[in-house]
Every structure is written in structure tokens, then in C-alpha cells.
Amino acid sequence: AEAVTTRFQGLATQMANIATESLEAIQADARAVNSITAQLAQVNGQLLKKNSAERQPPELLDRRDQLLRELSEYAEINTAFDTVGRVKISLTESNSRGVLLDGDNASQLRIVQKPNNPAALDYTLAGPQKSEVIGGIGSGSLSGYASFYERTLNAVNTELDRLAFIFSDAVNDIQ
């Protein structure tokens, strides 16, 4: 019984380590999203120098498009372009909610554990004028890490707890 108890404790430690590593990966991806968004804000600022998208330097538009491709690897994005070629980015299906970038106003994506439930995550866009809670990330690597963290790890931990309880109960019944 002692060997099994030790094994359960070892598994619990491994699961805690996996949870920590997953949360670190989520934080790293959020930092990458914020860095790319800041670069896009700078590109948007440079696009104001011309009065139409047709007059923009092709290399500047290419840079914007490359940054958008990079950003879309991390999260599902919704984009809209104005007449000078500036991009507005939302992390929701709406262009008015979940706005990550509007002109040169970039919000910071923050993903943290919920205070009352560390197995769940809070997603916040902290912008220059306001902060907004969003429901999650639609796709991309952030979505995958978050799904693993919130769903898979939680389910495995619940099952390990259940098995440990059943084992403990059986050992108590024998004694």
C-alpha cells in the first residue's frame, strides 16, 4: 500500500509540473501575441503617412501582412482594414468586442489562472482606454495550450484523485 501511495504522490507531482509548464507556454505565447501586436501598432502608425492604401510602400504592407500571418499562428483573429491600409484586429467574431489593435492603440493580452479556480483561465485585453474580459481564444497554439490546461489536465487530475480515493477506501476496508 505504501508503494502505491508513493506512486500516486509521484504522479501528482508530475501533473503539477506539467500544469506549470503548460501555464508557462501559455504565458510565452501571450507575450509573443503582445510583441507582434506592438509591431503592428507601429506599422499602423507608419501607414498614416499616406492618404490611401494604394500609395503605401509595398514593403510596409508586406510587413503588416507577415505580422498578421505570425499573429494568426497564436490565435484566431478577425481583421478589418481602413482606407489607408491600417488593420484593426479583434480576438472575437465582432470588430467591436475583443479588440486587440485599433490604429496604433494596442491592448495587452493577459491570461491568468482564475483566482477561485486555478484549473481555469481568465483572458483579459488590457487597453489604453479600458480592459475587457474575453471568453477565450478561438484557435491557434494559444487555444491548444489553454484547452490542454483547462480540459485535459483537469480531467486527468480528477481521475487520479478518484483512483486514489478508491484505493484508499479499499485499503481501509481490508484493515
Side-chain angles (χ1 to χ4, degrees), residues 22-83:
S22 298
L23 198 53
E24 287 170 356
I26 290 167
Q27 297 300 329
D29 273 10
R31 283 190 301 274
V33 164
N34 292 335
S35 173
I36 294 167
T37 304
Q39 292 173 62
L40 280 162
Q42 290 175 343
V43 170
N44 273 354
Q46 292 172 1
L47 289 169
L48 282 175
K49 294 176 183 175
K50 305 285 183 182
N51 61 4
S52 74
E54 294 80 29
R55 294 182 177 205
Q56 297 295 350
E59 57 277 354
L60 190 56
L61 296 175
D62 289 345
R63 176 77 177 133
R64 177 203 63 195
D65 295 344
Q66 177 59 38
L67 288 167
L68 288 171
R69 280 190 292 279
E70 289 175 23
L71 185 60
S72 70
E73 292 175 14
Y74 294 101
E76 180 178 359
I77 57 174
N78 182 15
T79 58
F81 299 90
D82 67 13
T83 57

Side-chain angles (χ1 to χ4, degrees), residues 32-165:
V33 164
N34 292 335
S35 173
I36 294 167
T37 304
Q39 292 173 62
L40 280 162
Q42 290 175 343
V43 170
N44 273 354
Q46 292 172 1
L47 289 169
L48 282 175
K49 294 176 183 175
K50 305 285 183 182
N51 61 4
S52 74
E54 294 80 29
R55 294 182 177 205
Q56 297 295 350
E59 57 277 354
L60 190 56
L61 296 175
D62 289 345
R63 176 77 177 133
R64 177 203 63 195
D65 295 344
Q66 177 59 38
L67 288 167
L68 288 171
R69 280 190 292 279
E70 289 175 23
L71 185 60
S72 70
E73 292 175 14
Y74 294 101
E76 180 178 359
I77 57 174
N78 182 15
T79 58
F81 299 90
D82 67 13
T83 57
V84 298
R86 294 183 310 163
V87 64
K88 179 177 182 178
I89 302 169
S90 171
L91 295 177
T92 66
E93 292 181 8
S94 165
N95 268 338
S96 59
R97 281 201 22 82
V99 176
L100 183 62
L101 177 66
D102 189 5
D104 58 358
N105 294 318
S107 293
Q108 293 284 305
L109 175 62
R110 296 188 183 136
I111 304 173
V112 297
Q113 294 170 301
K114 288 185 183 258
N116 58 344
N117 180 6
L121 300 171
D122 271 333
Y123 304 82
T124 305
L125 290 172
Q129 284 84 28
K130 66 175 185 163
S131 286
E132 177 183 9
V133 174
I134 58 174
I137 305 294
S139 66
S141 62
L142 259 173
S143 176
Y145 286 133
S147 176
F148 176 77
Y149 182 85
E150 292 182 293
R151 293 187 185 102
T152 306
L153 280 178
N154 193 34
V156 170
N157 280 327
T158 299
E159 282 303 305
L160 278 175
D161 288 349
R162 188 180 70 77
L163 285 172
F165 179 77

